[in-house]
Amino acid sequence: MHLRSVTVKNYRVHRELKVTFHRSLTLISGPNEAGKSTLAEAIHRGLFLRSKVTGDAWNAMQSSLADGYPEIEVDFQKDSEVYRVYKKFSGTNG
C-alpha cells in the first residue's frame, strides 16, 4: 500500500492541510507543536476509526482554530487500484 495524499480539515491545530506523499520518501518537519504528530494521528483515525466516534476520542479531534466537524480524506494505492477514504467525524451522526 502507498499513501498518495491526505487532507485534514478542522482537526485539532489544522484548519485545512493537504499533504501529497512522494512515492519513495516524504519528510515532515517543523517546530514543536506544529502538528506533525497530529497529522499522523489523523491519518490513523481516518483509516481505522469509525466516523461515529463520541466521547474523549471525538473531543480530542476538535479544532482550536476553526468551527466545524473534523474531516479526513486519505488517498492510497494498492497495486494498480486507487482508493479514497473520506470521513467526517460529526459525533453520533458520523
Side-chain angles (χ1 to χ4, degrees), residues 17-72:
L17 173 69
K18 180 168 183 168
V19 176
T20 302
F21 299 100
H22 188 272
R23 180 82 177 146
S24 36
L25 178 68
T26 299
L27 178 66
I28 298 173
S29 67
N32 290 344
E33 302 299 318
K36 302 176 300 289
S37 297
T38 299
L39 177 62
E41 173 187 289
I43 294 168
H44 178 265
R45 288 183 172 183
L47 290 173
F48 301 110
L49 193 66
R50 292 175 44 117
S51 61
K52 291 187 178 185
V53 68
T54 59
D56 291 339
W58 188 75
N59 290 332
M61 288 188 250
Q62 298 306 302
S63 174
S64 58
L65 302 175
D67 291 332
Y69 296 118
E71 300 176 45
I72 301 167

